[in-house]
Amino acid sequence: MYYFQPYLLIVTNKSRFTLVFLLVLTGLSSLFLSSCSTKKNTLVNRTFHNLTSHYNGYFYANESIKEGVAILQKAHKDNYDKILPVFKYGKPEDAKSIYPQMDKAFKKSSLVIERHSMLIKGKEYVKWIDENYFVIGKSHFYKRDYFAGLEVFDYISRQYKNQETRFDARVWMIRTYNELGIFDQASAMIDLLKEDKNFPKRLQGEFAAVQADFFLKQELYTQAIFFLQKAITLADSKKDKARYTYILAQVNEKQNKMEAANKLYAKVIKYHPSYDMTFNARLNVARTTEAGSAGSKIVKRQLQKMIKDEKNKEFLDQIYYSLAEIALREKDTIAGVVYLKQSAQTSITNNDQKARAYLKLGELRFDRGDYPASQAYYDSALVLVSKEFPNYEQLSERKKTLTALVSQLSIVQREDSLQRLAAMSETDRIAYVEAFITRMEEEEKRKKEEEEIARQNAGNIAPTVNQQQNLNTTGGSESAWYFYNPSTLSFGFTEFLKKWGSRKLEDNWRRSNKQTLVTDESGAVVGVADSISDGGVGTAAAAGPAAVKRDKDALLKEIPVTEEQKAKSDAKIIEALYSIGFIYKEQLLNIPKAIQTFEDLLRRYPKNKYTLPLYYQLHRLYDGIGNQAMSDKYKNILLTEHPESEYAQILKNPEFLKQTAAKRSEADQLYQETLEAHQGGNYQLVLTNYGVAEQRFTRTKLFPRFMLLKALAYAGSKDLASYEKTLKEIIVKFPKDPAREEAQELLNGLARFRGEGQAFADTLNPGLYAANPETAHIFMLFVKGPSLNTEKLKIKISDFHAQFFSTAKLEISSMPFSADWTLITVKPFVNKVKGEDYLLAVRDDPTIKEEVKGREVKMMLITADNYPVFLKDKRIEEYEKFYKKNY
């Protein structure tokens, strides 16, 4: 029996009317209680079930939804650096916090449907049932169980074709498709609703907002503008109007419509939204105001006034950044740099804002060609932010490029300074080192100051404004002291992290002593500091004569005084300068710097290993900037002095590169045919194809592999003498090719066969795969059996990556490998060691274990070079033999 609790009007008097009303209502309740069947279509039944499903069910369920949404919206924190989302759904973790409210709504409405639905002969006679279904759909949606929500909304749309709720359900289907990124389905539903003349007026505003969301998620900003404008007009609350207006302003700014954006941001302020939105709107008004205009002066005064307002204390970094933007637009670089430094200095909790200040400083340095300082700022900025930061990938790539450049520049600087020391007399060298050690002892007095700066850097990695007070913002030289130099400070910090990881700032953090070279302001190596001894800089000298001697001896060993040492030092400089030139040319697109570096390399080492490539590069670079005389100079050197070189051939024949590429393609095809012939035991065809390769493809990288197949063909034909001879030939001709190791292994097997009498077939490596632990690797997961939910397993692996390999850029792919096996791959891993680290971790993950429970599973690594061969061969057991032997 179900209980109906009517809502009664409370009266203060004991009037007869009230008593009669209560008696009648009680009588009706009794009547309802005796007639609550959902199978009989009577007035009493319909009235009872409608009242109960509305007030005892839908009302409370909907209130629970409202309560959860309020919590979700309160938890939602807008990121004003990006275009705001139209709807405030929060983060995935926020959704978990409202599970109780959504579950309560779900249970309440489900119970109502179960007990009060009067679905008789396909027709529903209780008008609140569809509303309760709608509540269930929304409860799924807010829990981010989107597909479950879609099923409910779709059911409402089809089952209640004559109820207005069908339009609500269809609008929410569009919302769901938008969140899932299924835009073709969303588009179809939008078109359906647009054509429906019965679409209710009350939903027009929400429909416009949903369509704006649809276009914004696809970055179709022009289309989004129309629906944002419509949503603003139709919105009921000022809060919604302010939000849609702010988004519209952001979209206009994105399209570089600064005047329109400026007016819209000003309009947002008039709606009196939250303080955060008001504050950011004011900053954006400043940013979009035309430089040098009367409005710009007013805006600057307003920003200066905001600095003095105590309630803006936590927003000072953003205010200073806005002032910097105005200054830079007005070409006042000095003021802009000062404001940027103030922004970084006052940014205490807002890492994104601090990063923006550093990035802008790095960009300014980059534009001036001051790459080491630029690298320091980029490096510092990216330590502070996550991968969700705007343009993170591009910024990260620039930082990597600059880091590579600084690394190579430091090699040149180090080797040059060592060679300068080598040019001194032994007496002068010793005196120089001793003088340095004296300076180390003096530096010990400043230890407290260094420790204070180190503490600051532990929580604030990038150089602060105070630490850079000696920095010449117009492009002069950096301060000589290490801790005031943003380039060396940041680069050193990065290198420290690479070697030691994150360490707590405390005594005895290191496990063993290690000596490092120290340079003076000119870049010359002046001594050795015990960088990981207990006391820090200078303590080696302070420790006594033994420590001083140790430092002196360590430095003297590094100085290239012999011809052999000098040759090794020169080789390092040549490699570094060649790399620097290509970084300037290919990555930084700084052609003058590239030319200068290549010319410097030729001037210092006219007959180095890269002489011919340098001539060709300089010919192309000078041609690119229109300096025909210099371009012809290097072209003529190649044609007259090195006419047989590949570079001369390229200059003579523009089609040379295409022809070479075509030849490589032909070599690949012939190799595959030869490999298949070997696998099929057609040894004569292998030898025939080798003859073709010997005539045409000796200069390709595949030729050693052809020779290996030739050797194996002899082995298959039992011609052991030719087999042995060919293997020895490979070892002599290709000492650095991976084929050499395989040839040596096969020779070892042959020796064992002769010495131990084992089966000769067991000594043969099939030649399919090459062991190369230092090359890129792919992880392979084989799962056996039908009905595998591959997508679900990939999601589990993706979650595992997010938890344990979040900084690695790992790609997951899947494919049906055979009738029995599904193959899932993860890549790339830089070498065998990294791949094995991953394999050990993923093998023990409980969630992945659970997903493949009860199935046969194989996990292996394979090199990127071996992977295409494996896919062609398709024999798991064959590769397993190779794998067990080499991994």
Side-chain angles (χ1 to χ4, degrees):
M1 182 62 67
Y2 314 128
Y3 297 94
F4 172 63
Q5 299 174 344
Y7 291 84
L8 302 180
L9 174 65
I10 298 174
V11 294
T12 56
N13 61 341
K14 302 288 186 179
S15 66
R16 181 177 297 178
F17 172 78
T18 304
L19 291 173
V20 171
F21 174 75
L22 289 173
L23 288 170
V24 171
L25 196 54
T26 304
L28 287 172
S29 298
S30 300
L31 183 61
F32 290 158
L33 291 173
S34 63
S35 306
C36 57
S37 171
T38 59
K39 303 302 179 183
K40 295 179 181 180
N41 180 21
T42 66
L43 175 62
V44 173
N45 283 355
R46 289 198 304 271
T47 305
F48 169 73
H49 290 298
N50 268 304
L51 284 171
T52 308
S53 61
H54 182 192
Y55 292 109
N56 271 16
Y58 171 77
F59 177 81
Y60 289 111
N62 200 45
E63 287 300 304
S64 190
I65 292 285
K66 288 179 182 178
E67 181 185 343
V69 170
I71 294 171
L72 198 62
Q73 294 195 343
K74 189 175 180 181
H76 178 92
K77 188 168 179 61
D78 280 319
N79 181 356
Y80 289 93
D81 298 325
K82 300 179 180 179
I83 292 179
L84 299 184
V86 175
F87 303 106
K88 296 164 72 171
Y89 299 139
K91 297 179 180 178
E93 54 267 30
D94 296 331
K96 294 178 182 177
S97 68
I98 62 166
Y99 276 13
Q101 290 77 14
M102 298 301 124
D103 288 344
K104 181 180 177 182
F106 173 84
K107 290 174 184 176
K108 180 71 73 173
S109 287
S110 296
L111 195 62
V112 166
I113 294 168
E114 179 187 344
R115 294 180 175 180
H116 301 291
S117 173
M118 292 180 62
L119 188 62
I120 301 171
K121 295 183 180 180
K123 183 178 179 181
E124 179 60 66
Y125 289 92
V126 178
K127 64 181 180 180
W128 290 100
I129 296 301
D130 56 335
E131 297 286 358
N132 277 281
Y133 272 118
F134 188 47
V135 167
I136 291 172
K138 288 199 287 187
S139 73
H140 286 310
F141 178 90
Y142 283 117
K143 287 177 67 176
R144 292 180 176 255
D145 190 356
Y146 294 127
F147 288 105
L150 268 178
E151 286 183 18
V152 178
F153 296 140
D154 183 54
Y155 175 78
I156 296 169
S157 175
R158 290 183 289 101
Q159 181 66 34
Y160 299 98
K161 294 181 179 179
N162 296 320
Q163 298 293 328
E164 202 171 83
T165 319
R166 72 185 186 276
F167 294 110
D168 296 84
R170 288 169 182 170
V171 169
W172 277 74
M173 286 178 76
I174 300 169
R175 281 195 183 210
T176 311
Y177 286 133
N178 285 347
E179 291 306 301
L180 289 168
I182 308 176
F183 298 116
D184 54 343
Q185 294 288 346
S187 179
M189 187 60 69
I190 287 170
D191 291 341
L192 180 68
L193 292 181
K194 279 182 177 178
E195 294 171 4
D196 198 321
K197 297 177 181 179
N198 297 316
F199 189 81
K201 187 176 181 181
R202 67 177 177 83
L203 287 175
Q204 289 289 353
E206 183 181 359
F207 187 38
V210 169
Q211 289 179 87
D213 187 42
F214 168 78
F215 288 113
L216 287 171
K217 278 184 164 57
Q218 299 176 81
E219 298 182 0
L220 301 171
Y221 299 119
T222 302
Q223 295 92 320
I225 286 175
F226 172 80
F227 292 103
L228 283 168
Q229 291 170 335
K230 190 173 181 181
I232 293 166
T233 303
L234 296 171
D236 295 325
S237 70
K238 281 189 175 182
K239 186 187 292 186
D240 287 339
K241 286 180 181 291
R243 186 173 193 82
Y244 301 154
T245 303
Y246 194 98
I247 297 170
L248 182 59
Q250 289 180 303
V251 171
N252 275 276
E253 187 180 351
K254 185 85 174 178
Q255 294 190 316
N256 209 31
K257 299 174 183 177
M258 294 302 175
E259 186 177 350
N262 184 275
K263 291 178 181 178
L264 286 164
Y265 284 128
K267 190 176 180 181
V268 170
I269 299 168
K270 294 178 181 178
Y271 285 122
H272 303 292
S274 65
Y275 185 78
D276 277 3
M277 183 172 284
T278 302
F279 176 80
N280 280 280
R282 290 188 188 280
L283 292 185
N284 291 338
V285 167
R287 193 176 64 251
T288 54
T289 299
E290 185 179 355
S293 65
S296 179
K297 294 178 182 178
I298 295 170
V299 165
K300 283 191 285 186
R301 285 198 297 268
Q302 289 174 340
L303 290 172
Q304 292 290 353
K305 188 177 178 181
M306 288 170 70
I307 290 172
K308 299 174 184 177
D309 191 336
E310 185 65 24
K311 66 183 177 183
N312 289 329
K313 188 175 181 179
E314 64 177 296
F315 301 114
L316 286 176
D317 51 354
Q318 297 179 58
I319 299 171
Y320 281 124
Y321 190 82
S322 293
L323 284 166
E325 288 187 307
I326 294 172
L328 293 173
R329 283 205 308 273
E330 294 176 347
K331 309 300 181 186
D332 188 351
T333 307
I334 294 176
V337 168
V338 170
Y339 284 132
L340 288 171
K341 290 178 179 179
Q342 287 178 306
S343 174
Q345 188 180 31
T346 55
S347 187
I348 300 170
T349 59
N350 190 343
N351 281 346
D352 282 2
Q353 182 57 52
K354 185 188 285 288
R356 272 190 292 277
Y358 286 141
L359 288 171
K360 182 60 75 172
L361 286 164
E363 185 182 327
L364 292 171
R365 290 285 191 172
F366 184 90
D367 290 342
R368 289 208 308 271
D370 187 357
Y371 299 123
S374 178
Q375 186 275 340
Y377 284 120
Y378 276 101
D379 195 35
S380 300
L382 290 175
V383 170
L384 297 170
V385 298
S386 68
K387 291 185 177 180
E388 282 68 47
F389 190 80
N391 303 316
Y392 179 88
E393 290 298 326
Q394 298 92 311
L395 296 171
S396 181
E397 285 303 314
R398 175 170 283 190
K399 189 216 69 165
K400 288 178 185 176
T401 298
L402 291 172
T403 300
L405 176 66
V406 170
S407 176
Q408 297 302 316
L409 288 171
S410 68
I411 291 172
V412 175
Q413 186 183 59
R414 179 181 184 277
E415 295 304 320
D416 281 345
S417 62
L418 286 170
Q419 289 189 20
R420 282 197 294 270
L421 284 174
M424 296 180 182
S425 67
E426 185 176 357
T427 303
D428 288 343
R429 281 199 298 272
I430 293 173
Y432 198 94
V433 171
E434 289 175 346
F436 167 71
I437 292 172
T438 300
R439 289 197 296 275
M440 288 175 66
E441 290 172 336
E442 293 172 353
E443 198 67 35
E444 180 67 16
K445 297 175 184 178
R446 303 175 67 173
K447 182 178 177 181
K448 289 184 179 180
E449 184 178 357
E450 291 178 20
E451 288 176 348
E452 180 59 29
I453 293 172
R455 287 191 191 94
Q456 293 174 12
N457 287 327
N460 176 15
I461 294 165
T464 66
V465 175
N466 289 337
Q467 291 164 1
Q468 294 185 49
Q469 57 189 349
N470 295 327
L471 187 64
N472 183 345
T473 59
T474 58
S477 62
E478 306 289 355
S479 171
W481 191 35
Y482 176 86
F483 285 100
Y484 284 163
N485 188 321
S487 174
T488 54
L489 178 62
S490 181
F491 186 71
F493 182 85
T494 304
E495 293 301 306
F496 178 88
L497 286 180
K498 287 178 184 176
K499 183 167 182 62
W500 296 102
S502 179
R503 297 291 178 108
K504 185 179 178 182
L505 187 63
E506 59 184 4
D507 290 337
N508 302 315
W509 55 265
R510 73 281 297 157
R511 290 182 292 181
S512 61
N513 291 338
K514 184 175 177 65
Q515 298 162 348
T516 57
L517 299 177
V518 180
T519 62
D520 62 13
E521 61 271 16
S522 68
V525 174
V526 293
V528 179
D530 191 359
S531 63
I532 53 175
S533 62
D534 288 343
V537 177
T539 54
V548 172
K549 185 177 187 304
R550 183 190 65 214
D551 285 352
K552 190 189 303 182
D553 291 344
L555 176 58
L556 292 173
K557 286 180 182 178
E558 294 290 327
I559 299 171
V561 291
T562 68
E563 286 301 318
E564 183 181 357
Q565 289 174 326
K566 175 68 164 54
K568 288 182 178 178
S569 179
D570 285 340
K572 291 179 182 178
I573 294 172
I574 290 168
E575 292 291 343
L577 286 174
Y578 193 65
S579 297
I580 290 166
F582 270 99
I583 292 172
Y584 283 138
K585 173 181 178 282
E586 302 290 347
Q587 294 170 276
L588 299 177
L589 306 180
N590 190 330
I591 303 305
K593 280 277 191 181
I595 291 173
Q596 178 186 336
T597 304
F598 287 149
E599 291 275 21
D600 186 42
L601 177 51
L602 280 175
R603 177 185 57 77
R604 295 181 62 176
Y605 304 98
K607 300 297 181 183
N608 70 81
K609 61 189 282 191
Y610 296 116
T611 297
L612 295 186
L614 286 168
Y615 289 154
Y616 182 75
Q617 290 298 331
L618 285 166
H619 155 66
R620 295 289 304 274
L621 288 169
Y622 277 120
D623 184 59
I625 63 173
N627 189 335
Q628 201 59 46
M630 291 301 293
S631 177
D632 289 344
K633 170 188 170 181
Y634 288 108
K635 177 180 179 181
N636 291 332
I637 290 174
L638 286 169
L639 292 174
T640 57
E641 298 179 19
H642 308 278
E644 299 304 317
S645 69
E646 184 177 282
Y647 299 99
Q649 298 303 317
I650 294 170
L651 293 173
K652 292 175 186 176
N653 178 12
E655 297 297 313
F656 180 80
L657 289 176
K658 290 182 181 179
Q659 292 168 359
T660 304
K663 186 172 286 189
R664 287 180 187 143
S665 177
E666 291 173 20
D668 287 338
Q669 186 175 348
L670 182 66
Y671 179 75
Q672 289 300 323
E673 291 175 4
T674 310
L675 184 61
E676 289 173 11
H678 165 70
Q679 292 168 357
N682 190 346
Y683 303 125
Q684 187 54 51
L685 180 58
V686 172
L687 295 173
T688 300
N689 285 356
Y690 171 77
V692 176
E694 191 175 28
Q695 291 179 350
R696 302 182 58 194
F697 305 129
T698 53
R699 292 188 177 184
T700 67
K701 292 182 179 180
L702 281 174
F703 189 66
R705 310 297 305 172
F706 276 111
M707 285 196 73
L708 201 57
L709 289 177
K710 174 189 175 185
L712 293 169
Y714 283 133
S717 304
K718 303 296 189 292
D719 185 351
L720 299 191
S722 299
Y723 169 64
E724 183 177 13
K725 179 183 177 183
T726 306
L727 291 176
K728 289 179 177 178
E729 192 178 351
I730 292 171
I731 292 170
V732 173
K733 286 187 175 181
F734 308 107
K736 295 183 179 180
D737 194 273
R740 180 198 181 282
E741 295 179 12
E742 293 180 62
Q744 185 62 60
E745 194 174 333
L746 290 169
L747 276 176
N748 295 341
L750 181 60
R752 288 194 300 272
F753 157 71
R754 287 171 172 163
E756 301 172 11
Q758 70 181 102
F760 177 66
D762 294 340
T763 72
L764 295 179
N765 184 314
L768 281 175
Y769 307 110
N772 193 346
E774 295 306 318
T775 194
H777 275 65
I778 299 168
F779 167 77
M780 299 190 297
L781 169 62
F782 296 91
V783 185
K784 193 173 186 180
S787 306
L788 175 68
N789 190 334
T790 308
E791 290 306 312
K792 189 177 179 183
L793 177 55
K794 286 165 68 178
I795 289 170
K796 296 289 185 184
I797 296 172
S798 180
D799 291 342
F800 169 76
H801 292 171
Q803 186 174 2
F804 298 106
F805 291 85
S806 58
T807 59
K809 299 177 182 178
L810 298 178
E811 301 174 6
I812 309 170
S813 301
S814 63
M815 62 182 292
F817 186 76
S818 66
D820 298 324
W821 294 95
T822 296
L823 170 60
I824 294 175
T825 60
V826 179
K827 64 177 183 178
F829 300 98
V830 294
N831 54 33
K832 173 185 172 182
V833 172
K834 294 295 183 184
E836 287 179 336
D837 287 346
Y838 175 85
L839 187 148
L840 291 173
V842 77
R843 187 182 64 188
D844 297 329
D845 184 72
T847 58
I848 296 174
K849 277 184 178 179
E850 183 63 28
E851 196 59 38
V852 296
K853 188 175 180 181
R855 296 176 181 272
E856 186 179 349
V857 172
K858 295 179 185 287
M859 294 185 185
M860 292 182 281
L861 298 172
I862 189 168
T863 65
D865 293 334
N866 285 335
Y867 186 60
V869 179
F870 174 64
L871 290 182
K872 192 172 186 65
D873 185 55
K874 288 279 186 181
R875 291 181 294 173
I876 298 178
E877 295 77 11
E878 200 66 32
Y879 181 74
E880 269 188 306
K881 293 177 186 176
F882 171 82
Y883 183 75
K884 288 175 181 177
K885 187 175 183 180
N886 292 280
Y887 290 82

